[in-house]
């Protein structure tokens, strides 16, 4: 067990005052509530009668969190296979609950707060913290064999986090004599998908949700986008076309042409839509194939990766392709490693095709069997109601006082930021426009940042403190300050990130590596966010599934209230 704590400062919208990073201190935070029973007593509690979430406790033992605060650690299972782990502070609990998400296809229990670097309330033990395995046990994060069981598909698709929230809150009430006053969720990738699922299906579970790089268009992402990453880079003999050895030269060429388009040559691309880079500029001379150039086949592969998957009529099957500027992050995801291991994208898409996205498993299916056409898109889409979190109608979440902080890296190689932009646009259209949406939901796009971190841009930030301020004090975040560190933890750059579509503009004085020298500004170009693709963002799309009279039945999900 490891509670990794990943950097962002808080801000304010027009009405409330402005927040600052770490403003919630030990002096002004909520009162500490101490346990009313011994930790060991929780092991004997009967949770089998929890409505919709029958659970058993496997153990309850005293421990110390990685941040140093003493805790009671409770492990257990919600039927049938949802394993959970809860850390209950024994001396420092301030009436807050945090649930964290997982990544890829999950399958293990691992605490990780994705967007909480330097978060004082978390580091000092304000939160009871819980996480789960998303309903199944996997041999790796890319193991999708659980999909052979329809119930485990449901638990992974939407049920696990909800029932763990119910059980964890019951444990909190038993231990402290009261439930949490405020509940938060933090996750990235599949964890971001979990956060959006909670906001759409279970709007009363969490007061504040941080959803990073969400895999919310799950079926289209895992089949068409991820499959395309592999297919576009595979030749007729099944060999990779573009290799990792070509990526440094490709990315360097992109930076030479695109870096200064935002007016500042700083080694990162603020908005990849501002530059239409043509990889043909790196075409090798006839007969040559060296690390500093691209062959004809490699030029075409890169163009396909930028463009994204398309059907037989040229229509996008996912809202976008690889963003310009993400090339340095393609190693291991798009291109195989030097050791010969297949690219992650190939394994992810193949496992999903075999076990997740068709009504019955197809254990021998490969990417060579996948047809990029509208008929197959519709066939795959039949399972999307279990997995996808595409409902832009967040009325119930907003009415419950919920606050949503979305974030995504502009150089994300695994989940295109264009999908998140398209979803946020749909939310603004459904929820009354930009101003009305910003009152409860905001999107932050981080230049140069890869999938859930990494990349050349500042990628460490604390979104949890701003979420706490937004929920508990009404102070909306108008700025996140992200930090880039070297391996020895030396800070090399800080940069503010403002709610989309605003951008950070250098004020002309001081170092461009210091956040204090940037101000918010409108984007130099306003791009269209209503991206045309084969899918859609719509209400009433979700399904709930279960056994009824001996048959597995899926029906439209009830509307949240």
């Amino acid at each position: 067990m490891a509670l990794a704590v990943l950097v962002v400062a808080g801000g304010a919208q027009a009405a409330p005052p402005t927040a600052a990073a770490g403003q919630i201190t030990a002096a002004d935070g909520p009162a500490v509530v101490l346990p009313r029973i011994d930790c060991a007593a929780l092991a004997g509690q009967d949770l089998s009668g929890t409505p919709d979430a029958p659970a058993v406790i496997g153990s309850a033992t005293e421990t110390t969190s990685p941040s140093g605060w003493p805790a009671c650690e409770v492990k257990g299972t919600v039927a049938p296979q949802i394993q959970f782990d809860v850390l209950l502070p024994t001396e420092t609990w301030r009436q807050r609950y945090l649930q964290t998400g997982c990544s890829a296809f999950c399958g293990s229990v691992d605490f990780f707060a994705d967007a909480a670097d330097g978060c004082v309330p978390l580091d000092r033990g304000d939160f009871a913290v819980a996480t789960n395995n998303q309903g199944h046990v996997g041999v790796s994060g890319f193991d999708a064999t659980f999909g052979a069981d329809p119930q485990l598909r449901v638990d992974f698709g939407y049920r696990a986090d909800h029932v763990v929230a119910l059980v964890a809150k019951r444990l909190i009430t038993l231990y402290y004599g009261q439930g949490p006053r405020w509940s938060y969720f933090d996750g990235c990738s599949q964890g971001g998908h979990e956060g959006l699922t909670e906001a759409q299906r279970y709007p009363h579970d969490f007061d504040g949700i941080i959803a990073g790089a969400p895999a919310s268009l799950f079926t289209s992402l895992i089949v068409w986008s991820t499959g395309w990453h592999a297919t576009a880079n595979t030749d007729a003999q099944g060999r990779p076309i573009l290799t990792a050895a070509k990526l440094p030269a490709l990315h360097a060429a992109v930076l030479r042409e695109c870096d200064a388009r935002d007016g500042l040559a700083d080694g990162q691309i603020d908005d990849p839509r501002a530059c239409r880079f043509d990889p043909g500029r790196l075409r090798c001379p006839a007969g040559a194939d060296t690390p500093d150039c691209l062959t004809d086949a490699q030029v075409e592969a890169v163009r396909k990766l930028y463009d994204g998957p398309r059907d037989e009529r040229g229509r996008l099957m996912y809202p976008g392709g690889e963003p310009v500027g993400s090339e340095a992050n393609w190693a291991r995801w798009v291109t195989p490693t030097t050791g010969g291991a297949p690219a992650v994208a190939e394994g992810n898409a193949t496992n999903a095709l075999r076990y997740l996205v068709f009504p019955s498993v197809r254990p021998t299916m490969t990417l060579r069997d996948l047809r990029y056409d509208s008929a197959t898109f519709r066939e795959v889409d039949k399972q999307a109601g279990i997995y996808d979190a595409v409902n832009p109608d967040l009325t119930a979440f907003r009415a419950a006082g919920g606050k949503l902080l979305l974030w995504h890296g502009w150089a994300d190689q695994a989940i295109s930021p264009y999908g998140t932009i398209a979803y946020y646009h749909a939310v603004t259209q459904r929820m009354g426009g930009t101003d009305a949406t910003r009152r409860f939901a905001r999107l932050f796009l981080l230049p140069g940042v890869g999938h859930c971190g990494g990349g050349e841009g500042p990628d460490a930030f604390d979104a949890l403190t701003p979420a706490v301020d937004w929920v508990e004090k009404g102070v909306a975040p108008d700025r996140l300050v992200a930090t880039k560190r070297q391996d020895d933890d030396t800070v090399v750059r800080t940069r503010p990130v403002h709610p989309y579509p605003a951008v950070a503009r250098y004020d002309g004085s001081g170092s461009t590596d210091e956040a204090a020298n940037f101000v918010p500004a409108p984007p130099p170009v306003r791009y269209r966010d209503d991206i045309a693709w084969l899918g859609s963002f719509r209400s009433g799309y979700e399904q709930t599934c279960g056994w009824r009279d001996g048959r597995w039945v899926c029906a439209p999900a009830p509307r949240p209230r």
Side-chain angles (χ1 to χ4, degrees), residues 126-177:
D126 282 18
F127 297 85
V129 186
T131 192
N132 70 90
N133 68 348
Q134 210 64 13
H136 61 274
V137 177
V139 297
S140 73
F142 307 118
D143 177 7
T145 54
F146 69 89
D149 185 325
Q151 179 61 54
L152 302 192
R153 289 189 180 194
V154 164
D155 291 348
F156 173 76
Y158 63 82
R159 178 174 174 262
D161 288 298
H162 172 58
V163 296
V164 167
L166 297 179
V167 170
K169 291 178 183 180
R170 188 173 177 192
L171 285 170
I172 290 169
T173 302
L174 289 169
Y175 193 52
Y176 300 105

Side-chain angles (χ1 to χ4, degrees), residues 344-502:
V344 172
E346 179 181 349
N348 263 9
T350 300
N351 276 298
L353 289 171
R354 289 175 174 175
Y355 298 107
L356 294 179
V357 298
F358 294 105
S360 300
V361 298
R362 302 181 180 185
T364 62
M365 188 171 184
T366 71
L367 286 175
R368 288 179 176 270
D369 302 316
L370 181 63
R371 297 176 61 88
Y372 286 82
D373 56 42
S374 55
T376 310
F377 184 95
R378 290 192 296 270
E379 184 179 6
V380 168
D381 196 52
K382 293 176 182 178
Q383 294 293 300
I386 296 175
Y387 302 115
D388 288 11
V390 297
N391 190 347
D393 186 354
L394 300 180
T395 302
F397 181 69
R398 179 177 64 184
K403 301 295 185 288
L404 174 63
L405 196 156
L406 280 161
W407 67 272
H408 210 129
W410 262 128
D412 193 325
Q413 74 281 17
I415 301 179
S416 174
Y418 300 125
T420 300
I421 290 172
Y423 173 71
Y424 186 71
H425 173 76
V427 171
T428 62
Q429 295 296 297
R430 178 62 181 83
M431 301 305 296
T434 300
D435 291 342
T437 301
R438 279 168 51 92
R439 295 189 185 104
F440 79 98
R442 297 187 175 197
L443 168 63
F444 294 84
L445 295 170
L446 282 67
V449 174
H451 185 56
C452 295
E456 295 161 322
D459 62 333
F461 59 97
D462 170 21
L464 183 53
T465 300
V468 167
D469 288 343
W470 202 0
V471 167
E472 299 177 21
K473 299 185 177 182
V475 180
D478 65 358
R479 183 176 84 136
L480 307 180
V481 176
T483 299
K484 190 66 180 178
R485 296 186 179 94
Q486 294 178 337
D487 292 342
D488 62 0
D489 214 34
T490 300
V491 174
V492 295
R493 173 174 291 174
T494 59
R495 184 66 59 86
V497 186
H498 301 282
Y500 185 79

Side-chain angles (χ1 to χ4, degrees), residues 173-191:
T173 302
L174 289 169
Y175 193 52
Y176 300 105
Q178 69 172 68
R181 287 181 62 186
W182 306 283
S183 298
Y184 300 89
F185 187 93
D186 178 20
C188 187
S189 191
Q190 169 60 18

Side-chain angles (χ1 to χ4, degrees), residues 183-374:
S183 298
Y184 300 89
F185 187 93
D186 178 20
C188 187
S189 191
Q190 169 60 18
H193 165 267
E194 295 163 37
L196 287 183
T197 297
E198 281 291 313
Q200 294 168 23
R201 289 179 180 256
Y202 307 106
H204 300 281
D205 280 356
F206 298 100
D207 304 295
I209 293 175
I210 303 166
S216 50
L217 305 173
F218 182 84
T219 48
S220 292
L221 169 72
I222 204 66
V223 174
W224 307 116
S225 179
T226 303
W228 189 248
H229 288 151
T231 302
N233 193 42
T234 303
D235 67 15
Q237 288 73 44
R239 299 171 303 194
I241 299 170
L242 182 71
T243 62
K246 297 295 184 95
L247 299 181
L250 172 62
H251 185 61
V254 170
L255 289 180
R256 284 195 300 270
E257 184 164 335
C258 303
D259 183 17
R261 294 292 179 94
D262 55 12
L264 187 66
D266 55 358
Q268 63 186 45
I269 297 172
D270 285 359
D271 188 335
R273 297 173 298 184
C275 184
R276 292 186 175 275
F277 174 77
D278 181 9
R281 296 177 182 276
L282 282 181
R283 195 181 304 272
C284 295
D289 184 4
T290 59
D292 60 350
C293 69
L294 301 177
T295 65
D296 290 347
Q298 290 169 343
V299 168
E300 185 60 24
V302 173
R303 285 173 176 167
K304 288 180 178 180
L305 290 166
Y306 286 150
D307 190 41
R310 293 185 181 271
D311 72 353
E312 73 279 11
R313 294 172 53 188
R315 296 173 295 186
L316 278 172
M317 305 176 82
Y318 191 79
E322 291 281 21
V324 172
S326 65
E327 304 80 16
N329 304 323
W330 293 359
R332 185 174 175 267
W333 180 261
V334 176
T335 64
T337 60
T338 53
V344 172
E346 179 181 349
N348 263 9
T350 300
N351 276 298
L353 289 171
R354 289 175 174 175
Y355 298 107
L356 294 179
V357 298
F358 294 105
S360 300
V361 298
R362 302 181 180 185
T364 62
M365 188 171 184
T366 71
L367 286 175
R368 288 179 176 270
D369 302 316
L370 181 63
R371 297 176 61 88
Y372 286 82
D373 56 42
S374 55

